[in-house]
Amino acid sequence: SWAEEAGPRRAEILRVGKSHMPTSNQLAELIEKDEPWLVVVPRKGGKSKPLHVPPDLLIRTIDYIQFGRREIVDQCYDKIVGYREPDEVFLSGSTGLPLHPDTVTSIARRTFKKAGIERASIHRLRARFAVRTVESLMDSIFEEKTVGPESSWIETILVKAAESMGHSDPQSLRPYLTY
């Protein structure tokens, strides 16, 4: 869900921590305003940049933290002497430590296979986010009727989409314009 709805890479998803989550009052305000929450994590290239996380994804993540993740942490406290709970949200069920990016790949591959989807990966979910980002930017530009013959709307869309996805080169998103 994080890859598809917020657009981070595997390693960026794994950097999301409990400390990044909003308080219940902040979450209520986001829901009321229908605004994303900014989660700043180190992105590709080492620079810290925000992920724009929709409120419904936050709700599901907080629910996971309170129940599924809590179960993992409690088991580790019982089994592992000196265990200390990490801030990261996504933990290994056996070690209680943050997941490795390769584990995320394996989980995604197994889940797609179980759903009967061939040749899919977590990157496909990130690509879906890219397509949605480009579509929404195109919709907003064309709704405002700011596109004229001299407009550089393609570059504007690519730059804004690149900022949202943590890409250093906006041209790498050019293929998503064709969708």
Side-chain angles (χ1 to χ4, degrees):
S1 294
W2 273 81
E4 182 179 9
E5 297 175 42
R9 296 168 180 88
R10 296 175 315 169
E12 296 162 354
I13 293 169
L14 297 177
R15 290 183 183 123
V16 175
K18 289 181 359 176
S19 61
H20 290 117
M21 296 297 112
T23 64
S24 56
N25 288 340
Q26 291 169 323
L27 183 57
E29 191 175 320
L30 292 173
I31 292 167
E32 186 176 314
K33 292 180 178 181
D34 193 29
E35 291 180 348
W37 179 251
L38 299 183
V39 172
V40 179
V41 295
R43 308 225 31 202
K44 187 175 179 182
K47 292 185 180 180
S48 289
K49 296 179 183 178
L51 301 171
H52 300 267
V53 187
D56 58 319
L57 180 56
L58 290 169
I59 291 167
R60 293 193 316 273
T61 302
I62 291 168
D63 183 61
Y64 169 72
I65 290 168
Q66 291 175 341
F67 298 102
R69 184 184 182 284
R70 172 85 307 187
E71 191 175 309
I72 292 169
V73 168
D74 288 346
Q75 287 175 2
C76 289
Y77 276 130
D78 290 343
K79 292 179 184 175
I80 303 170
V81 176
Y83 176 74
R84 291 190 353 190
E85 177 183 353
D87 184 50
E88 289 84 352
V89 170
F90 302 105
L91 306 178
S92 163
S94 56
T95 67
L97 298 174
L99 290 174
H100 188 277
D102 291 344
T103 303
V104 175
T105 300
S106 297
I107 291 168
R109 190 175 294 129
R110 265 194 323 266
T111 304
F112 283 122
K113 186 176 180 178
K114 189 174 180 180
I117 302 169
E118 298 291 324
R119 290 173 274 131
S121 69
I122 196 160
H123 184 74
R124 293 284 33 128
L125 297 175
R126 186 168 148 77
R128 181 141 169 82
F129 176 81
V131 169
R132 285 184 180 154
T133 300
V134 169
E135 284 176 346
S136 69
L137 290 167
M138 287 181 70
D139 289 346
S140 67
I141 284 177
F142 287 111
E143 278 177 12
E144 294 172 12
K145 296 182 176 54
T146 56
V147 178
E150 304 300 315
S151 172
S152 61
W153 63 271
I154 291 175
E155 284 70 29
T156 301
I157 287 172
L158 293 177
V159 167
K160 287 183 182 264
E163 286 172 5
S164 176
M165 296 194 65
H167 278 247
S168 57
D169 180 15
Q171 295 307 313
S172 65
L173 296 173
R174 188 171 280 280
Y176 295 109
L177 287 171
T178 61
Y179 288 103

